[in-house]
Amino acid sequence: MNTAASVFGAVHLGYVVIETNRFADWRRFGTEAIGMHRDDLDSGLMRFRLDDQECRFLLRRGPAEDVVATGWHLDDHTTFEQIEARIRAHGVPVVEGTEEEAELRGVERLLRFPGPKGITQEIYTTPVLTPEPLRMLASGFVTGDSGMGHIAITSTKPAQIRGYFNTVFDARLTDYIDETISGVKLKIRFLRVNERHHSIAVAAVRGLPIDPVRTRVQHLNIQAATLDDVARSYQRVHELGFDMALSVGRHTNDKELSYYARTPSGFEWEVGWNPVVIDETTWQPSTHQGISIWGHTPVGQTIVDKLDQFRRGARSLARPEKTVPALSGAGIPDD
């Protein structure tokens, strides 16, 4: 942990930027299946809302079919300046977003800097709130002090990613999960920056420097307000013909009840309900065996899918993972 004044607790996942050319599919997925509010800005820009913040997901046209940036809401200008100073002190370039970029993201101003796996990290203090009523199928989503959800990534360098988020945001280790999927042993590390059990999850194949996932993120998570919202959106995903990755289940560590759908861009989208809220005075990291108490079984996975996953993993050996050594340092090994 950094010895300087900690920013822990003043950092919240605020928005996500997705680059895609599959706008028609994303409109149906986000609005009709997941149940979010949608605003079409023009033919190459679309936003989804979860609450009164003007933008939670910004979709822009492009070939990546992936998350390209994450925006972090900071509580105040002191925290903003502190994080900016940390990044500059490590010799990492910081760029101020243009007025147009800030407007698209629904924030007053933002700074951006390089992040792990080529995902640009952006920080802001003041979101633009809108009085426009939400038009969505869901009754609501949980955001606030916990942020808007979490991101999960696969990595061949998990210690460096821990080091990065510790340096930048004073992230704390919440716990680990050991899991075997299709004969592959995974270790998953869960990092928190506020009361949410985790804002970042990092999965790595044990003993092998391979990454079996094509996209920079493995999944995104948003938290539904009610169990009924989870059930109804699960039903809509099925009825609209979108692929389901994992059926409804409950996780061992954060106790969240959720399912995972496959987005039009290929990464997964978790809709969850009622995860634990961390009590900093009593929480101690531990290791759980398996990701789920029950459920979360793969849906429609074939042997061809498994072979494709192994091929992607083999190809990743020739594609070095992007890190930001100046901010991750030597990394933080597992406790």
Side-chain angles (χ1 to χ4, degrees), residues 26-47:
W26 267 104
R27 279 191 196 95
R28 291 179 64 248
F29 180 82
T31 315
E32 299 174 37
I34 304 302
M36 299 182 288
H37 173 105
R38 186 185 86 243
D39 289 310
D40 294 310
L41 305 186
D42 65 31
S43 61
L45 292 165
M46 174 169 58
R47 295 196 299 209

Side-chain angles (χ1 to χ4, degrees), residues 8-16 70-73 121 143-153 161 165 169 171-175 189-202 217 219-221 254 256 276 278:
F8 180 88
V11 180
H12 322 274
L13 183 61
Y15 62 77
V16 172
T70 49
W72 299 90
H73 181 192
Q121 304 296 302
T143 54
D145 288 343
S146 295
M148 59 171 272
H150 67 248
I151 62 168
I153 59 180
I161 291 181
F165 285 107
F169 295 138
R172 298 177 181 176
L173 175 73
T174 302
D175 49 32
R189 298 141 181 91
F190 296 83
L191 308 178
R192 69 187 187 278
V193 292
N194 54 50
E195 65 181 16
R196 187 178 286 279
H197 177 276
H198 60 285
S199 293
I200 305 125
V202 186
V217 298
H219 76 261
L220 299 178
N221 162 282
D254 68 359
E256 188 167 24
V276 299
I278 298 295

Side-chain angles (χ1 to χ4, degrees), residues 251-309:
H251 286 303
T252 51
N253 57 345
D254 68 359
K255 306 298 189 285
E256 188 167 24
L257 187 146
S258 68
Y259 71 86
Y260 295 73
R262 199 172 307 284
T263 66
S265 292
F267 57 85
E268 294 173 15
W269 188 290
E270 181 185 19
V271 178
W273 172 75
N274 200 33
V276 299
V277 174
I278 298 295
D279 180 348
E280 295 297 332
T281 63
T282 60
W283 190 268
Q284 292 293 325
S286 58
T287 298
H288 300 262
Q289 301 301 317
I291 64 170
S292 304
I293 300 169
W294 57 267
H296 287 145
T297 54
V299 178
Q301 190 179 45
T302 67
I303 190 67
V304 174
D305 296 326
K306 293 180 182 179
L307 285 171
D308 282 344
Q309 200 165 31

Side-chain angles (χ1 to χ4, degrees), residues 151-214:
I151 62 168
I153 59 180
T154 51
S155 175
T156 59
K157 299 182 177 180
Q160 281 71 22
I161 291 181
R162 253 187 91 182
Y164 178 97
F165 285 107
N166 179 73
T167 299
V168 177
F169 295 138
D170 294 308
R172 298 177 181 176
L173 175 73
T174 302
D175 49 32
Y176 300 102
I177 286 179
D178 289 337
E179 177 67 285
T180 301
I181 300 175
S182 300
V184 177
K185 292 184 177 180
L186 298 173
K187 190 168 194 73
I188 312 171
R189 298 141 181 91
F190 296 83
L191 308 178
R192 69 187 187 278
V193 292
N194 54 50
E195 65 181 16
R196 187 178 286 279
H197 177 276
H198 60 285
S199 293
I200 305 125
V202 186
V205 177
R206 299 188 76 150
L208 287 172
I210 62 170
D211 183 349
V213 175
R214 176 193 67 81

